[in-house]
Amino acid sequence: MGGKNEQSYDNLKNMLYKDSRKDFILRYGGVYTVALAYAGTSNYGAIRKLLHIVVSDTPDDVRRAAVTSLALVLFKNPGQVPRIVQLLSESYNPHVRCGATLALGTACTGTGLQDATSSPSMSSARSLYVNIVADKHKNSMARFDTVLGQGLIDAGGRESRWSHNTSAIVGDPLAHCACLAFEPTAIIGLNGDLEYGLLSISLFVCQFS
């Protein structure tokens, strides 16, 4: 709807977010309305709106959703995500840090981006992940989603990626379904002697895809 009639989308966004200050559930839905309407577009206005929500809204659920939604807007341009969430990953709020790790893992899954695994302020984001998981004093949600974000980055031995035909939202209750959104980046066919040979592939197109 956002692509076909941007004015209609803006009106819906205002109804779900701006006009619902007393009901954070509607604002929570408004965040995902922004993300899904501009999924994969890298729209500057949508990114700016989501970042404003992260720093201005009060409920932790809304703030976490806003950070996570950055991955949906930028999943076709994953190189921008590490730079955008770098400061958010160091937030005092565990829900914001949770959203940052999910956004990084979701957008950069299978890409092997150096920026996704390194940071100017530390030797490696991987060492940060290890420290968060090992620290028993860290919030349990931050620890869980750190593990999940690390797994998304290394999905399929870094030989899988997030399907561009899938606009999936990974949340704690649906974490076990994340594998359904992956697609392989390469197929290598070897024989019993680990040598290349002729390979015959039969393709099946699902009628529901």
Side-chain angles (χ1 to χ4, degrees):
M1 181 180 67
K4 295 181 179 179
N5 191 333
E6 188 170 347
Q7 183 61 45
S8 297
Y9 160 69
D10 289 336
N11 292 338
L12 177 60
K13 177 185 68 176
N14 292 336
M15 180 182 68
L16 288 177
Y17 189 81
K18 290 185 178 180
D19 299 336
S20 57
R21 290 295 179 182
K22 295 182 180 180
D23 191 345
F24 81 93
I25 297 297
L26 287 179
R27 298 202 306 278
Y28 181 86
V31 167
Y32 284 122
T33 300
V34 173
L36 294 176
Y38 290 111
T41 64
S42 301
N43 183 275
Y44 174 76
I47 296 172
R48 183 177 179 180
K49 179 63 179 178
L50 291 172
L51 290 175
H52 175 71
I53 294 172
V54 172
V55 299
S56 64
D57 214 307
T58 303
D60 290 328
D61 288 337
V62 178
R63 300 179 69 183
R64 183 179 68 250
V67 182
T68 306
S69 295
L70 290 170
L72 298 179
V73 178
L74 291 164
F75 78 87
K76 289 187 178 179
N77 190 15
Q80 296 296 322
V81 177
R83 178 181 60 84
I84 292 177
V85 304
Q86 179 180 348
L87 293 178
L88 297 177
S89 66
E90 301 174 3
S91 170
Y92 74 93
N93 190 313
H95 293 266
V96 174
R97 298 198 304 272
C98 160
T101 57
L102 281 176
L104 186 65
T106 300
C108 300
T109 178
T111 63
L113 281 175
Q114 185 65 28
D115 289 342
T117 57
S118 62
S119 171
S121 61
M122 59 195 69
S123 61
S124 173
R126 295 183 184 277
S127 63
L128 174 63
Y129 288 162
V130 171
N131 292 335
I132 292 177
V133 174
D135 190 349
K136 296 182 179 180
H137 299 289
K138 290 287 186 180
N139 183 278
S140 59
M141 177 176 295
R143 294 175 67 193
F144 174 85
D145 288 298
T146 298
V147 174
L148 183 59
Q150 180 68 73
L152 292 174
I153 291 177
D154 292 330
R158 299 187 187 178
E159 295 296 340
S160 298
R161 66 177 182 177
W162 201 261
S163 174
H164 285 182
N165 296 322
T166 304
S167 295
I169 302 172
V170 179
D172 293 353
L174 300 177
H176 60 287
C177 297
C179 59
L180 300 176
F182 292 125
E183 63 181 11
T185 56
I187 298 177
I188 301 176
L190 303 175
N191 58 22
D193 298 324
L194 299 181
E195 297 176 347
Y196 290 106
L198 296 178
L199 183 64
S200 177
I201 301 177
S202 298
L203 298 179
F204 172 76
V205 180
C206 178
Q207 62 178 334
F208 301 106
S209 62

